Amino acid sequence: MADAKDSAITKYGIVGIGMMGREHLINLHHLRDQGLAVVCIADPHPPSQLLAIELARSFGWELKVFSGHEELLKSELCDVIVVSSPNMTHHQILMDIISYPKPHHVLVEKPLCTTVADCKQVLEAAKKRSDMVVQVGLEYRYMPPVAKLIEKVKGRDFGNVKMVAIREHRFPFLVKVNNWNRFNVNTGGTLVEKCCHFFDLMRLFAGANPVCVMASGGMDVNHKDEIYDGKVPDIIDNAYVIIEFDNGCRGMLDLCMFAEGSKNEQEISVTGDIGKGEALVPEGIVRSGSRVGGREHVQTIKAEDERIKYEGLHHGSSYLEHLTFLSAIRGEGRAAIDLEDGLMAVAMGVAAQLSIQERRYVTIDEVL
């Protein structure tokens, strides 16, 4: 393998090296033949640092370790920074990276920030940095069955899209460092933290922007018997969300986070005026049919992407996300999922949280 000091190598730093940060580290290792290396990390949590050091050594990479992103920036060791720290830290970290004299390309984990105001501030600051690519980690777009469904929608296989329905029935939130993900103030709320992925997909499938949101949800099963520093978690564990788009399309999310007994974690359905398609994850199946053909002529295919060398936690989507991001930073295109996409996904989640809290219809203009 080429030495990381080689100027031809694209050098990466990772800020936040918990579970998701280490997942990025593994994905980047599987992309090492693309001429890259992870050279540094920043995280204030010593156990996370140690796990990352051991992992990197098993790949033949020696990491420079910092306790915070400011030190990592000042070291000027890397060209690219992956931000996978807790949600509530994204805003300050991104503002510091964007304002730093030396340009660093950035891949920031979802959600972009926990509030619309913070997202907007990052967006405005980044407009002044034409020397940087900033991409948002809404990588569900790259899951092979979802990517195949996107391709069919763009090819107008279903005609004009009228309805998008997404069901996520899954396990509860995982345990994170200092249990930061148990509280809305840190995550932005479940519908921002988890569901920004689905709102991004809805907007993509609809080919339009959201106008208004109505939602119902609650904290009915999970985390009710947990206490951290005297506080009980306040994140919802189930919801129904309906979104209307400016072209007349409607989207619906059905979220349940105490549904371990499900065959598929995500079932995504897109229906247009001439046909319907659906993607099932993790089965990796795509079904599509037309109104004319009817039930007897529905086609089922197994969606695969031969480029994927590592499936990891997200069925290969993180690998493909890094591949497309690398192309963008090397001048072969723009950020595939940009800050505007990140902002709108957060705005939809914020509107849904507000709708549940105030038991009313919320317009996107209100939150924007």
Side-chain angles (χ1 to χ4, degrees), residues 3 20 46 57 83 91 97 101 118 143 155 173 186 210-211 230 235 259 263 265-266 268 299 333-334 347 354:
D3 186 55
M20 202 58 222
R57 278 187 183 149
V83 178
H91 173 248
I97 295 171
D118 285 352
M143 287 181 181
F173 278 123
N186 296 332
V211 176
I235 47 170
K263 180 160 184 150
E265 198 170 311
Q266 289 100 23
I268 300 167
Q299 293 184 317
R334 55 185 285 280
L354 187 60

Side-chain angles (χ1 to χ4, degrees), residues 6-20:
D6 185 335
S7 60
I9 293 282
T10 303
K11 301 180 189 75
Y12 280 71
I14 301 176
V15 175
I17 200 72
M19 186 192 77
M20 202 58 222

Side-chain angles (χ1 to χ4, degrees), residues 26-45:
I26 299 168
N27 274 280
L28 290 165
H29 164 66
H30 284 279
L31 280 156
R32 64 197 181 282
D33 61 349
Q34 300 289 318
L36 62 82
V38 179
V39 298
C40 55
I41 58 168
D43 196 301
H45 189 61

Side-chain angles (χ1 to χ4, degrees), residues 303-322:
E304 293 172 317
D305 191 319
E306 60 188 22
R307 294 174 297 169
I308 296 169
K309 291 183 181 175
Y310 173 70
E311 290 208 346
L313 299 178
H314 298 108
H315 317 291
S317 61
S318 294
Y319 181 91
L320 295 173
E321 168 185 52
H322 275 292

Side-chain angles (χ1 to χ4, degrees), residues 84-96:
S84 46
S85 55
N87 300 4
M88 68 284 190
T89 67
H90 289 187
H91 173 248
Q92 190 59 59
I93 290 169
L94 288 170
M95 293 302 290
D96 289 346

Side-chain angles (χ1 to χ4, degrees), residues 233-244:
D234 59 357
I235 47 170
I236 65 171
D237 58 17
N238 71 100
Y240 292 119
V241 183
I242 295 171
I243 298 175
E244 293 180 356

